[in-house]
Amino acid sequence: MPAPTQATDVASFPIAGWNQALPPAEQQRATLALESGSVLFFPKLRFALLEGEERLLSPAAAGQAKNVSLDPASGTLRGSGADEEELRLLQGMMTRFAAASASLLRNVLPRYAAALEQARTSYRPVEVAGRSTSWRKDDTRLHVDSFPSSPTRGRRILRVFANLNPHGQARTWRIGEPFEEVARRFVGSIPAPLPGSRVALSLLGVTRSPRSAYDHYMLRLHDCMKADADYQSHSAQRRFDFPPGSAWIVYTDQVSHAAMTGQYALEQTYHLPVEAMQDPARSPLRVLERQLGRALA
Ligand code: SIN
Ligand code: FE
């Protein structure tokens, strides 16, 4: 087994407002850190609830599901068993977070602004620890994000999180080794996609659009990491506590992460074409292409 390398870093920024402009030197520090695989951490960036919204601080807000999800473009809410009033509150809080996250990204990572695509918003009111699920869906295992039904064809997955916990409880992650190392460790054992299979999955409705070879490798990487118990316990990693009243930005397709404990978080997903990065060579797409010696998307 290769010697364990360094676990991924966390870069801290002391801003206290979702609309607070960052000086250009700080924007540059943020862009470099993020693209190098660091988590951008905002220890003083609280997402404040409005009067009445405390009612949403209950796992019941998600009904039978673990998350409530909102499509900010259409306003459609999914996964909630709440009554009319609670639905209205959820819609308000999540729409406000979608807007706050967009404003944060404009201020922290302005070079991405024109190319960012806002995807869904999610509210996570259920305690992470002890949720029973299959190994593949178990996010307490280190992994990089890749979703079977949502091919990205190389686009980045950028996520903004906020911890809303009212009881002083942190959201605790494990953060693993850099993407280059993750890929180097597993990619050689992943079989190439079968000719035709990716189009067939799309025609069968398993995927929303055809998977690229990139999506094939990322899904397998996600699974290889989660299925390897030795890797889970022995690879380079650190624990990080995101306290209540903090926020963080992370490329979850690049940063190996596992959510261990925590309750009441908001999350907003964005996609970004690799060409919009300052250094596209650091994207998982380009890293995998270099390691495999062929184009993947
Ligand atoms: C994950 O993306 O694996 C879960 C992150 C979280 O909910 O804190
Ligand atoms: Fe994840």
Side-chain angles (χ1 to χ4, degrees):
M1 200 176 101
T5 48
Q6 280 287 99
T8 295
D9 272 335
V10 175
S12 196
F13 296 82
I15 62 171
W18 297 83
N19 296 312
Q20 189 177 324
L22 218 56
E26 283 291 275
Q27 294 171 336
Q28 187 51 25
R29 177 168 78 95
T31 308
L32 266 174
L34 183 74
E35 294 192 358
S36 310
S38 290
V39 173
L40 306 186
F41 174 47
F42 303 90
K44 297 197 291 193
L45 191 53
R46 175 178 300 278
F47 184 74
L49 295 189
L50 299 183
E51 205 173 309
E53 287 176 348
E54 308 78 38
R55 185 182 156 188
L56 302 176
L57 297 171
S58 153
Q64 297 304 310
K66 61 175 186 173
N67 296 336
V68 182
S69 111
L70 172 77
D71 174 358
S74 68
T76 309
L77 207 62
R78 268 193 303 120
S80 168
D83 60 38
E84 283 286 304
E85 168 66 2
E86 201 161 288
L87 285 177
R88 194 185 59 76
L89 289 169
L90 276 169
Q91 192 117 25
M93 176 180 78
M94 294 173 73
T95 304
R96 215 166 63 250
F97 184 68
S101 72
S103 153
L104 179 69
L105 293 182
R106 270 195 305 277
N107 289 319
V108 175
L109 303 160
R111 69 169 294 124
Y112 293 171
L116 275 176
E117 303 155 28
Q118 191 173 48
R120 63 158 200 42
T121 320
S122 101
Y123 176 46
R124 307 177 176 199
V126 179
E127 169 58 51
V128 166
R131 284 193 312 219
S132 67
T133 143
S134 67
W135 65 267
R136 195 174 261 126
K137 288 188 179 155
D138 181 2
D139 288 339
T140 69
R141 301 181 190 214
L142 287 166
H143 65 283
V144 289
D145 281 352
S146 178
F147 303 104
S149 61
S150 305
T152 74
R153 294 179 303 283
R155 285 177 311 154
R156 306 301 315 270
I157 303 174
L158 182 63
R159 293 184 142 176
V160 181
F161 290 87
N163 183 355
L164 309 185
N165 192 283
H167 311 299
Q169 191 196 355
R171 199 167 189 86
T172 300
W173 280 19
R174 289 186 293 147
I175 302 174
E177 58 185 4
F179 186 81
E180 288 265 359
E181 314 290 329
V182 176
R184 199 169 295 129
R185 199 174 298 256
F186 291 108
V187 94
S189 63
I190 301 175
L194 294 172
S197 67
R198 289 173 280 122
V199 174
L201 287 171
S202 168
L203 293 174
L204 289 167
V206 176
T207 54
R208 288 186 200 134
S209 53
R211 270 180 206 162
S212 61
Y214 171 74
D215 296 294
H216 166 87
Y217 282 102
M218 288 298 284
L219 277 170
R220 294 301 189 92
L221 200 53
H222 166 278
D223 288 0
C224 285
M225 292 171 80
K226 282 188 174 174
D228 187 334
D230 182 64
Y231 182 75
Q232 289 295 324
S233 38
H234 296 123
S235 62
Q237 55 190 276
R238 63 183 290 194
R239 174 195 147 123
F240 196 85
D241 290 335
F242 298 101
S246 73
W248 59 106
I249 301 175
V250 50
Y251 270 132
T252 54
D253 54 358
Q254 174 176 7
V255 174
S256 164
H257 62 284
M260 305 311 292
T261 61
Q263 189 174 11
Y264 308 119
L266 279 162
E267 177 269 320
Q268 175 64 54
T269 300
Y270 291 85
H271 292 118
L272 186 80
V274 296
E275 299 74 29
M277 295 173 64
Q278 180 159 301
D279 185 4
R282 293 183 181 275
S283 64
L285 173 64
R286 300 290 178 237
V287 170
L288 289 174
E289 286 182 336
R290 280 198 300 277
Q291 291 190 12
L292 288 161
R294 68 183 188 95
L296 297 176

